[in-house]
Amino acid sequence: MMRLPKFTYVRAKSVREAVRVMADAGPDASFVAGGTDLYPNMKRRQQTPKTVIGLSGVRELRRIAGKPETGLVIGAGATLTEVCEHSKVRKGHPALAKAVSLISTPILRNMGTIGGNVLLDTRCNYYDQNYEWRKGIHFCMKKDGDVCWVAPSSSRCWAVQSSDAVPVLCAIGARVALASQSGEREIAAVDLFRDDGIDYLTKRPDELLTEIRLPATNGWRATYWKLRRRGSFDFPVLSVAARLWFDGATVKDAKIILGAVGSSPLDAHESARLLIGKPLTEDTIRAAADAAYKPAKPLDNTDFAYAFRKEMAKQYVARALRDLA
Amino acid sequence: MKTKAKGRARARFEKVHMRLRVNGEDVEVAFAPHKTLLEVLREDLGLTGTKHGCELGECGTCAVLVDGKPILSCLALPLDLEGKEISTVEGMADGPRLHPLQEAFADLGAAQCGYCTPGFLLTAKALLDAKKKPTRDEIKDALAGNLCRCTGYVKIFEAVELAAKRMREAAPSKAKGASNGR
Ligand SMILES: Cc1cc2nc3c(=O)[nH]c(=O)nc-3n(C[C@H](O)[C@H](O)[C@H](O)COP(=O)(O)OP(=O)(O)OC[C@H]3O[C@@H](n4cnc5c(N)ncnc54)[C@H](O)[C@@H]3O)c2cc1C
Ligand code: SF4
Ligand code: FES
Ligand code: FES
C-alpha cells in the first residue's frame, strides 16, 4: 500500500472556521477539497503538511449562483461533476463546461473540485514520482533537491501549469475571491499565476479560494481544446482557450491563452492582435495560429515530444478559432 | 464528527472511533485518522472486495459508491464520510442472488483476472440506477475511469447492456415508462 504520511485532520464547517484553523496552524498546514491532487502528492511525499484542513463539509463553498447574463458565481468547493453538468454553466459557459468535462475521469470528477483544479500543483516527469524514484535521481529543485533535471543549467523550476479550467478562466476574464483572517480580496484569475514551477501562485498559503466569478456572457464566444494521449485520465500537455468578441462578422477583440506549455498560462498576444479588426477566415485563422508557435515553450518534462507539442500549438489554435468562426 | 481519542488523551495520531454506514449497516470502526477509505475497508473492516491498484487515482479499481455515486476510495478519508451511504461490491448481491450485473459479467466473460471487476460493477451500477437504457456511448463514458488490462472492454460494455436488458425485463412496468421516451 502507498500510504499517506501522518497528519492531523480538521474538518471545517465554515469559511470562517477554515481560515481561522489555517491561521493557527501556520505554514505546515494545507487545505484539502477533493484531495485528488493533494493526496497523491502526499503519498509520493511531494507535499507533507502536518495539518490538513478539510473543506468538503463547508456548504457555502459549494453553491453555484447568479445568472450567466449578469455573471455566474461558482463556489470553489463545487465538484467538477457539479460544474460541468450544471445547466447554467453549460448554457452560458460552454467552453468552461467542456474544459471541466475533459478533466481526468468521471469518477475523479465526482471528487475533485473547481477550486482545487485552479490551484493544482504544477507537474513534471521528474517530480510526479514516488519518493524512492525521486531519491534515485537525487531529487530536484522543486522538492528536496537543488538541480533541475529538465534544464540543469537553469536556476528555476519549469514544472508545468496543467489545469484544464485555468486557461478558460484566464481567457474569459474570470475573477477569484480569496479569504483569510485579514479579510477578503478579489483578483483577476490571470493574476493568480506566476511563471515559476515552484512558486506558481500569487495566493498566500493562508488564503482560502472561496469563489470563481465569471463575467457576463454578452458579446463574446469562447472555446477550449486539449491535447493528451488518452481520451480519459490524462492531464493536458497542450491546451488552448480562445475568446473572441465580434462586431458583426469582424473580430472586435480577442484573447488566446495557451495551457500546459509553461509554468503559468501563456497569453498568445500576437495571435490575438492579428485577428482584431478582421473577419474570421481561413487566412486570418492560419496567420493567428502560426503566431502561436513562438510563445509556446514546452520543455521535455511531460508526455509527448516537446517539439510535437510546440508544433501542435499552431494546429490547436487553428482548431479553436474554427470553432468560433 | 464523532471522533474521540481512544482511552486517555494521547498523541494526536491516536486512533479515531467513528460509525460508518457500509452496505446498509452501521459499523463502528477504530482507525488511524490519516487512513484512506480503501485502507479502512480492506484492513479494518475486512472488506477486501475493493481492490487496490495504483492508489493514486489513476486506475479506478478502488471505486466504491458514496450516496450512489462512484468515488475513488484510495483518495477519500473516512473522516469525511460520516452519515454517508457507502456501497462496496460485497453489498451488491441480494443474499445468495447475484446482482444482474454480476451475473451478466460472469455469463459473458467480462471478467478475466477479475481485478478490475469490483470497480467496474459499482460504476456500472451507478449508471444503471440512474439510467435504465444507456446507449453504448453513455456506457463507455461512464466507465471511462476504470482501467482493465485483460478484456479489451468490449465484453464489459456488452455485459452492462445485457444486465440493463435483464433488469428492464425483470421490472416491466418501470421499463415501459423508461423506454417510451426513447
Ligand atoms: C489520475 C489523475 C488525472 C488527473 N487529470 C487531470 C486533468 O486531466 N486535468 C486537470 O486539470 N486536472 C487533473 N487532475 C488533477 C486534479 O484531480 C484536479 O485538478 C482536481 O480538480 C483537483 O481538485 P481537488 O478538489 O481534488 O484538489 P485538492 O487535492 O483538494 O487540492 C489541490 C490543491 O489546492 C489547494 N486547495 C484546494 N481547494 C482550495 C481552496 N478552496 N482554497 C485554497 N486552497 C485550496 C489544496 O491545498 C491543494 O494544494 C488529475 C488527477 C489525477 C489523480
Ligand atoms: S522542471 Fe526541473 S526543478 Fe521543476 S520539477 Fe521538473 S526537474 Fe524538478
Ligand atoms: S487504486 Fe484508487 S484509482 Fe487506482
Ligand atoms: S479482468 Fe483483468 S484487469 Fe480487467
Side-chain angles (χ1 to χ4, degrees):
Chain A
M1 283 272 188
M2 203 169 183
R3 291 177 197 276
L4 287 168
K6 288 181 178 171
F7 58 88
T8 301
Y9 188 69
V10 184
R11 191 171 147 80
K13 289 271 187 308
S14 64
V15 166
R16 182 197 289 252
E17 183 190 1
V19 299
R20 183 177 46 75
V21 175
M22 178 52 97
D24 291 347
D28 268 346
S30 242
F31 291 118
V32 71
T36 62
D37 181 45
L38 186 73
Y39 292 149
N41 288 359
M42 286 175 69
K43 287 185 177 188
R44 294 183 292 235
R45 305 302 189 262
Q46 291 155 280
Q47 281 162 266
T48 48
K50 296 281 174 287
T51 304
V52 174
I53 304 162
L55 302 173
S56 66
V58 183
R59 294 186 69 178
E60 57 196 298
L61 285 179
R62 288 186 87 131
R63 76 194 181 112
I64 299 181
K67 289 199 194 112
E69 305 79 52
T70 47
L72 201 60
V73 174
I74 304 181
T79 67
L80 300 170
T81 303
E82 284 161 1
V83 173
C84 71
E85 289 183 354
H86 198 280
S87 60
K88 287 181 186 166
V89 179
R90 294 171 74 103
K91 257 216 184 100
H93 295 280
L96 182 63
K98 179 178 177 191
V100 171
S101 73
L102 293 176
I103 293 170
S104 189
T105 70
I107 314 182
L108 188 134
R109 291 195 294 275
N110 288 339
M111 308 176 78
T113 65
I114 185 80
N117 186 254
V118 168
L119 303 174
L120 177 68
D121 196 5
T122 52
R123 298 182 58 82
C124 171
N125 286 346
Y126 295 89
Y127 169 70
D128 293 300
Q129 303 289 350
N130 66 35
Y131 184 82
E132 283 68 30
W133 195 102
R134 289 187 295 115
K135 193 175 172 200
I137 59 161
H138 305 294
F139 303 106
C140 79
M141 199 188 288
K142 187 159 157 75
K143 177 69 179 157
D144 300 326
D146 42 33
V147 68
C148 170
W149 293 111
V150 180
S153 59
S154 162
S155 60
R156 61 163 280 190
C157 162
W158 299 89
V160 181
Q161 161 63 52
S162 305
S163 157
D164 279 300
V166 161
V168 176
L169 295 175
C170 292
I172 70 175
R175 300 180 68 79
V176 296
L178 303 169
S180 68
Q181 282 282 76
S182 45
E184 196 200 276
R185 63 183 180 122
E186 187 193 273
I187 61 171
V190 66
D191 292 331
L192 249 183
F193 304 100
R194 221 199 289 270
D195 185 18
D196 184 284
I198 295 171
D199 215 2
Y200 62 96
L201 293 174
T202 60
K203 182 186 90 59
R204 294 194 316 269
D206 66 312
E207 285 180 310
L208 178 75
L209 173 64
T210 55
E211 282 180 359
I212 294 152
R213 298 173 181 165
L214 306 179
T217 49
N218 312 326
W220 55 272
R221 293 203 295 274
T223 189
Y224 180 73
W225 276 76
K226 167 178 185 172
L227 174 68
R228 58 175 162 181
R229 189 175 292 269
R230 297 174 291 181
S232 182
F233 285 98
D234 292 337
F235 284 87
V237 292
L238 161 72
S239 62
V240 175
R243 179 204 201 187
L244 299 182
W245 289 256
F246 286 95
D247 188 0
T250 309
V251 176
K252 209 165 66 182
D253 203 356
K255 191 83 167 164
I256 298 171
I257 303 285
L258 306 179
V261 284
S263 296
S264 62
L266 295 184
D267 193 328
H269 295 283
E270 184 60 12
S271 298
R273 195 187 63 79
L274 287 169
L275 293 171
I276 296 171
K278 303 200 182 107
L280 211 51
T281 63
E282 200 45 39
D283 285 347
T284 54
I285 288 175
R286 268 283 43 115
D290 287 348
Y293 186 74
K294 221 170 120 196
K297 291 201 180 65
L299 290 176
D300 199 8
N301 57 353
T302 71
D303 194 8
F304 287 131
Y306 67 101
F308 170 71
R309 286 161 61 214
K310 190 166 168 71
E311 176 62 29
M312 289 308 276
K314 286 195 279 191
Q315 310 301 333
Y316 272 55
V317 168
R319 289 178 197 183
L321 292 176
R322 280 184 206 121
D323 265 2
L324 299 175
Chain B
M1 194 179 5
K2 219 182 78 187
T3 57
K4 58 177 195 292
K6 186 186 182 187
R8 293 173 301 279
R10 275 186 285 185
R12 56 192 177 139
F13 302 128
E14 198 43 78
K15 283 190 174 180
V16 290
H17 279 256
M18 75 180 289
R19 182 177 298 163
L20 288 174
R21 197 165 169 78
V22 183
N23 298 327
E25 280 176 35
D26 285 332
V27 289
E28 292 280 348
V29 58
F31 56 91
H34 59 277
K35 282 184 102 171
T36 62
L37 177 62
L38 174 65
E39 291 160 352
V40 170
L41 285 172
R42 291 182 56 88
E43 297 166 358
D44 300 293
L45 292 171
L47 294 171
T48 52
T50 307
K51 300 300 176 220
H52 57 110
C54 65
E55 290 159 36
L56 294 169
E58 296 170 7
C59 75
T61 195
C62 68
V64 301
L65 305 185
V66 170
D67 289 345
K69 290 208 188 83
I71 62 128
L72 302 168
S73 62
C74 69
L75 299 182
L77 292 192
L79 289 181
D80 279 334
L81 299 177
E82 190 173 40
K84 308 258 184 197
E85 189 71 51
I86 300 165
S87 317
T88 70
V89 71
E90 286 90 347
M92 278 186 79
D94 180 8
R97 281 193 38 221
L98 291 179
H99 188 279
L101 276 162
Q102 293 172 305
E103 263 177 358
F105 269 57
D107 291 348
L108 296 188
Q112 288 182 21
C113 79
Y115 205 76
C116 66
T117 309
F120 270 103
L121 287 171
L122 289 163
T123 312
K125 179 175 186 297
L127 173 69
L128 296 190
D129 286 347
K131 217 167 199 136
K132 301 280 171 267
K133 197 174 176 188
T135 63
R136 177 63 69 96
D137 280 344
E138 286 167 342
I139 295 171
K140 278 189 186 172
D141 280 349
L143 301 182
N146 298 80
L147 289 185
C148 174
R149 299 292 78 174
C150 304
T151 62
Y153 301 102
V154 176
K155 292 191 176 198
I156 293 175
F157 302 148
E158 288 170 355
V160 175
E161 283 164 355
L162 178 62
K165 184 164 169 271
R166 288 174 176 171
M167 285 164 77
R168 289 195 303 274
E169 285 163 4
S173 54
K174 269 194 214 150
K176 265 206 184 105
S179 54
N180 277 346
R182 298 201 63 91

